[in-house]
């Protein structure tokens, strides 16, 4: 293995990708930036009549801010510290950040207090059912607003070429959709068996839903970090590459 292993990262082509590339470089990797998600706003805004409002990403926060969303009457909840920081920067008071930065972690944090409450979930149109189903089971009246759609960018997939050529040490998937789009991009490029190529790649994923989707699609997962952040994913994936 080279001193600077090639590691694919699939974040949207904005500050999140730049941050991920910087993190990998600091860890001594050679980042392979291959965005698998592009943002298409829907034009909708989070409801303002909910008792609890849950934001799941910095993109959602940005779109809510652009729509002049008023959160004053809601208990504001953020999945993860970056989303919380973005909410605070936009002038909102964040009341709940779960210990585990996942949908199931948010369900655990709220399940004892949302019986009979109106809960607004504002996120992409590709969110898993874990969050709304878990809160509904706890007795909440759940409403979802799709603030944006996530689509695969044109021209994505050069990291799949590198995996097929044996020139990729690791891949860091941050959501189920990044796995789906990676496989779609590989197929569009005529790569017949990308799952086999990934057997020689250390595959790291954030969270149970991403691991489960990867398994459903025939991708073996090697690393799931203890903390659901990209920094933890990068660190633990590089540790596995070098072990």
């Amino acid at each position: 293995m080279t001193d600077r292993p090639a590691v694919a990262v699939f974040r949207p082509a904005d500050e999140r990708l730049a941050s991920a590339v910087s993190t990998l470089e600091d860890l001594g990797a050679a980042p392979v930036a291959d965005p698998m998600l592009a943002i298409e706003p829907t034009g909708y805004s989070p409801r303002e009549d909910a008792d609890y409002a849950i934001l799941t990403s910095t993109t959602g926060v940005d779109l809510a801010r652009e729509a002049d969303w008023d959160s004053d009457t809601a208990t504001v909840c953020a999945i993860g510290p970056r989303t919380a920081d973005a909410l605070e920067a936009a002038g909102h008071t964040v009341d709940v950040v779960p210990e585990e930065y996942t949908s199931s972690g948010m369900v655990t944090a709220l399940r004892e207090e949302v019986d009979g409450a109106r809960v607004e979930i504002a996120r992409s149109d590709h969110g898993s059912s874990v969050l709304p189903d878990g809160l509904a089971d706890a007795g909440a009246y759940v409403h979802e607003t799709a603030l944006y759609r996530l689509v695969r960018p044109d021209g994505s997939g050069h990291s799949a070429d590198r995996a097929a050529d044996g020139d990729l040490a690791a891949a860091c998937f941050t959501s189920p959709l990044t796995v789906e789009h990676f496989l779609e991009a590989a197929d569009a490029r005529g790569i017949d068996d990308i799952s086999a190529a990934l057997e020689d790649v250390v595959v790291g994923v954030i969270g149970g839903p991403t691991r489960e989707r990867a398994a459903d699609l025939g991708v073996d997962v090697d690393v799931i970090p203890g903390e659901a952040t990209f920094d933890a994913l990068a660190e633990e994936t590089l540790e596995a590459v070098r072990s």
Side-chain angles (χ1 to χ4, degrees):
M1 185 63 63
T2 63
D3 290 339
R4 294 181 61 81
V7 180
V9 57
F10 308 112
R11 311 217 76 178
D14 55 23
E15 70 279 355
R16 285 166 292 183
L17 183 62
S19 175
V21 166
S22 178
T23 295
L24 288 169
E25 288 175 339
D26 289 345
L27 291 169
V32 179
D34 191 6
M36 287 293 161
L37 302 174
I39 309 300
E40 287 188 352
T42 63
Y44 294 114
S45 174
R47 291 182 61 164
E48 297 182 355
D49 61 350
D51 301 305
Y52 291 79
I54 301 173
L55 279 295
T56 66
S57 69
T58 58
T59 297
V61 175
D62 290 342
L63 293 172
R65 184 188 66 247
E66 292 172 8
D68 294 324
W69 173 57
D70 182 355
S71 65
D72 288 350
T73 62
T75 296
V76 177
C77 310
I79 294 186
R82 293 195 177 188
T83 303
D85 289 345
L87 281 163
E88 295 280 2
H92 304 287
T93 298
V94 177
D95 303 291
V96 178
V97 179
E99 291 185 9
E100 179 186 333
Y101 308 144
T102 63
S103 293
S104 58
M106 184 63 78
V107 172
T108 298
L110 295 180
R111 67 159 51 105
E112 299 301 324
E113 58 185 86
V114 295
D115 188 15
R118 293 170 297 178
V119 178
E120 167 74 342
I121 302 173
R123 59 181 183 174
S124 82
D125 67 335
H126 282 89
S128 78
S129 62
V130 171
L131 184 55
D133 288 355
L135 295 176
D137 287 345
Y141 299 99
V142 179
H143 179 269
E144 286 191 72
T145 298
L147 300 179
Y148 57 99
R149 289 178 287 271
L150 293 168
V151 299
R152 182 169 65 84
D154 293 338
S156 59
H158 63 91
S159 61
D161 288 333
R162 293 188 63 162
D165 292 339
D167 189 29
L168 193 68
C172 293
F173 295 99
T174 52
S175 70
L177 199 58
T178 56
V179 181
E180 294 175 19
H181 284 181
F182 175 84
L183 297 181
E184 289 174 8
D187 183 66
R189 287 170 174 263
I191 301 173
D192 292 331
D193 195 353
I194 190 62
S195 295
L198 287 175
E199 290 177 2
D200 296 323
V201 175
V202 175
V203 174
V205 305
I206 288 181
T210 308
R211 174 189 59 197
E212 292 165 10
R213 188 61 181 141
D216 290 343
L217 294 171
V219 175
D220 292 330
V221 172
D222 303 295
V223 175
I224 305 173
E227 181 180 276
T229 64
F230 184 81
D231 287 356
L233 174 63
E235 290 174 7
E236 295 186 32
T237 299
L238 263 295
E239 287 175 4
V241 169
R242 290 168 171 146
S243 63

